[in-house]
Amino acid sequence: MAAEGVRLQERAFLGHIGLRCDPRDAALTSALERVLECALPRTPNMFAVASSALKVLWLGPDEWLSSRPDGAKPRCAGFAARAGDGFATVIELGSGQTVIEMFGVRAREIIAKGCPLDLHPRVFEAGCCAQSRLARTLVTIAQIDASPGTS
């Protein structure tokens, strides 16, 4: 879907995993990070990207959302095997969620119309993510890069 200054695109069939664990458990987080192939973000409302294009979004002090690229299967078994005796919750969240990418010079403005977050570029920059509401729907917003993009 395209309009003046904005373009929407669904990213269907992404694998999503909800992950909770105690970030102070160094052995457990290190083992889970080996499965993710990137560090768990510890800074509030930031995300990390692995070389495999997997994204890990910070949702809370002990909660993250992992989003795998198109067609890739979530690796819940890998998390469970690595967790060992550590306390971790790993939940596949595949159904009931979708990812919609928004591009264009007016994308930030359009999201801001229905979302209470401060999305100004000096506050919500590339690498930021946050949970909120958009037109009465629960959403997680991630600012992938600083440019408005066209594709």
Side-chain angles (χ1 to χ4, degrees):
M1 177 178 175
E4 184 69 31
V6 70
R7 178 173 171 237
L8 300 174
Q9 172 180 318
E10 182 183 18
R11 296 278 315 274
F13 309 113
L14 296 182
H16 294 100
I17 293 176
L19 177 62
R20 294 194 81 148
C21 70
D22 182 352
R24 296 169 297 182
D25 185 335
L28 175 60
T29 55
S30 177
L32 296 175
E33 288 171 342
R34 284 194 294 279
V35 176
L36 292 167
E37 299 172 355
C38 72
L40 290 168
R42 299 302 200 312
T43 304
N45 299 319
M46 299 300 286
F47 67 89
V49 181
S51 60
S52 64
L54 171 136
K55 290 182 183 68
V56 181
L57 288 75
W58 183 96
L59 300 181
D62 66 349
E63 183 177 11
W64 297 269
L65 174 66
S66 166
S67 174
R68 303 225 6 111
D70 294 338
K73 299 276 188 214
R75 296 189 282 187
C76 287
F79 286 113
R82 294 287 179 126
D85 293 333
F87 177 76
T89 303
V90 179
I91 302 171
E92 186 174 343
L93 303 169
S95 52
Q97 294 194 63
T98 192
V99 173
I100 298 173
E101 292 180 335
M102 185 178 286
F103 306 91
V105 295
R106 298 191 64 206
R108 190 183 298 265
E109 173 189 345
I110 289 169
I111 294 172
K113 293 279 184 192
C115 178
L117 292 176
D118 182 357
L119 298 175
H120 192 279
R122 74 175 165 258
V123 177
F124 201 82
E125 58 190 3
C128 289
C129 65
Q131 298 177 88
S132 188
R133 292 190 176 272
L134 179 62
R136 298 186 195 166
T137 302
L138 296 175
V139 296
T140 302
I141 299 172
Q143 177 74 31
I144 304 302
D145 60 45
S147 67
T150 57
S151 59

